[in-house]
Amino acid sequence: MDQLGTVLYKETLNREDLVLLLGLRRPADVARLRARALDVMRAEVGDSVFYRGIIELSNVCACDCNYCGIRASNAKVERYTLSEQEVMDGARWCAEAGYGSLVLQAGERSDPGFRDTISHLVRRIRAESVLPGLPQGLGITLSLGEQPLETYRQWHAAGAHRYLLRIETTHPGLFATIHPPAQSLAARMQALADLDAAGFLVGTGVMIGIPGQTLEMLADDILFFRDHPIDMIGMGPWLPHDDTPMGAWPQPLAAEAQLQLSLNMIAAVRLACPDVNIAATTALQAMVPDGRERGLSFGANVTMPNLTPVHARGNYKLYEGKPCMDEAREECRGCLMGRVESVGRTVALNQWGDPPAFARRGGGDRAPW
Ligand code: SAM
């Protein structure tokens, strides 16, 4: 067997193996990686694609991440917070469409008013989204940034059970370059540990193609996912936003290379962490119209249709070229179903779609935080 063949079938990948996989560019090699990732996906999490309808409920943010279009210092953004009615309408639509799960995402705020509003919304959504096909109501994922452990506990007790908080990069130097001094990698790690302690299924991820990022750093990110209690991974290309400090930074990779690296990351994560859920993210679709389908064909099994009211979407622009800015949720539903089916997969409706990783790690096969 050649070197690639050996790596693709190895039980435990090391840093060198991962660097080899991430750097694949020859179409024949990429095809082998993709085929192996799909085999592992089918064996470990099945062939279905799970939907998480996402509502971007507010772009008010206290953080000033150097890459993000809704950073606190971007004065060009019109700030919004959806009304309770708008969130509940979106949640009801999500349940009736059979999506099974909902993500509430927003910029970061940690005042008591915000904390209690989220708890209230979570309770209402769980109670009011119960349908004959969805007896427990919608599964709720939160993506609301770093919060005190007590807040995480309160939101979990209210009925949310999954949380997404990207580490963005596990490399201390790179983390410091893309964040202001007030934000630290140590605090992000602590927040992930707190989410686990609060009982959440924990999702994290990184941006790919950040200036200064190497294949070795990305390999280390994957080892971090594997060696910590992580259940879900969402990764996508870093894309510049004009009104951010990083907007003028030269793109280190040509678009095609950045896209391939992002797809190789999905496949490599599938091999290293076989039983996690992996999202085919919107940022992939910002690079090429079929970006999310390509993500699914490299081993992803989750996608997140946007349910944010169209009037607010323009103000939740994290990067230039964000797709589906004016597509109503009904149109989006049909479009995305077609996209999933175009790669021979089917959507599992009316299911929470939790990854086997969470149940299995009860067995203690990965180190706690
Ligand atoms: N405030 C929450 C948080 O920080 O986790 C959730 C919202 S935040 C905008 C969601 C994610 O958007 C971040 O984790 C980051 O990876 C991604 N993001 C922001 N700006 C981006 C950019 N320019 N390119 C790609 N992804 C970006």
Side-chain angles (χ1 to χ4, degrees):
M1 210 184 276
D2 65 357
Q3 191 190 5
L4 175 57
T6 308
V7 169
L8 288 176
Y9 286 87
K10 254 177 109 169
E11 184 133 341
T12 308
L13 297 170
N14 61 30
R15 188 184 202 224
E16 209 184 350
D17 301 328
L18 290 166
V19 167
L20 180 136
L21 297 178
L22 296 177
L24 295 178
R25 292 298 304 278
R26 283 184 42 218
D29 293 339
V30 169
R32 289 169 73 193
L33 170 62
R34 179 178 168 282
R36 177 74 186 133
L38 280 182
D39 281 350
V40 172
M41 179 198 77
R42 287 195 187 100
E44 298 284 340
V45 296
D47 203 37
S48 301
V49 175
F50 298 100
Y51 274 179
R52 282 79 173 91
I54 179 165
I55 300 180
E56 296 151 337
L57 62 89
S58 172
N59 65 356
V60 176
C61 191
C63 292
D64 225 7
C65 305
N66 295 341
Y67 44 85
C68 185
I70 61 167
R71 68 200 301 268
S73 333
N74 185 3
K76 292 193 188 164
V77 174
E78 200 183 309
R79 302 289 163 176
Y80 74 85
T81 298
L82 298 183
S83 67
E84 182 168 339
Q85 179 75 39
E86 284 175 311
V87 177
M88 291 309 300
D89 284 351
R92 242 174 256 121
W93 190 93
C94 183
E96 281 161 12
Y99 286 4
S101 284
L102 181 73
V103 180
L104 297 179
Q105 189 179 87
E108 203 163 297
R109 268 177 67 184
S110 49
D111 48 285
F114 180 72
R115 184 193 60 207
D116 295 344
T117 299
I118 297 297
S119 297
H120 170 72
L121 283 172
V122 168
R123 263 189 241 104
R124 265 199 82 181
I125 293 169
R126 283 295 301 278
E128 295 177 32
S129 60
V130 171
L131 292 173
L134 201 60
Q136 300 189 83
L138 288 165
I140 301 182
T141 307
L142 300 178
S143 177
L144 304 168
E146 290 175 25
Q147 303 286 343
L149 174 59
E150 273 321 302
T151 301
Y152 289 150
R153 287 197 204 281
Q154 183 178 315
W155 289 346
H156 189 267
H161 81 297
R162 297 189 283 238
Y163 203 103
L164 307 177
L165 180 67
R166 286 188 182 176
I167 193 101
E168 315 296 356
T169 171
T170 59
H171 188 276
L174 190 62
F175 190 97
T177 312
I178 64 172
H179 293 101
Q183 286 169 250
S184 75
L185 183 57
R188 190 60 61 105
M189 297 257 190
Q190 185 58 51
L192 290 168
D194 288 348
L195 285 165
D196 183 51
F200 280 100
L201 277 80
V202 180
T204 192
V206 294
M207 290 185 294
I208 299 156
I210 305 169
Q213 190 179 45
T214 63
L215 296 186
E216 285 75 13
M217 291 178 193
L218 288 168
D220 288 341
D221 294 337
I222 298 177
L223 295 175
F224 168 83
F225 302 153
R226 185 189 70 192
D227 295 337
H228 288 82
I230 301 294
D231 311 295
M232 306 165 299
I233 313 280
M235 305 171 295
W238 164 68
L239 299 167
H241 185 293
D242 293 342
D243 303 316
T244 63
M246 285 169 67
W249 291 13
Q251 288 270 72
L253 295 173
E256 191 211 330
Q258 189 181 13
L259 177 64
Q260 190 56 59
L261 179 56
S262 303
L263 297 172
N264 290 357
M265 268 299 275
I266 290 178
V269 169
R270 177 58 70 204
L271 300 191
C273 315
D275 58 358
V276 299
N277 277 353
I278 304 178
T281 56
T282 312
L284 287 171
Q285 194 181 335
M287 296 205 78
V288 279
D290 65 343
R292 283 202 263 195
E293 297 88 287
R294 293 204 210 182
L296 294 175
S297 334
F298 276 75
N301 66 330
V302 165
T303 196
M304 294 158 73
N306 196 336
L307 305 183
T308 308
V310 171
H311 74 79
R313 288 195 199 178
N315 289 318
Y316 203 86
K317 200 175 78 162
L318 309 178
Y319 44 79
E320 302 300 330
K322 191 173 171 208
C324 311
M325 292 304 256
D326 54 6
E327 202 177 60
R329 43 203 182 207
E330 290 77 11
E331 285 172 69
C332 172
R333 181 171 198 261
C335 168
L336 210 56
M337 285 288 182
R339 287 174 180 277
V340 171
E341 283 161 11
S342 76
V343 285
R345 306 271 289 276
T346 46
V347 179
L349 293 173
N350 289 316
Q351 290 181 41
W352 284 13
D354 287 338
F358 187 66
R360 284 189 203 157
R361 75 183 162 90
D365 59 346
R366 280 186 284 177
W369 285 92

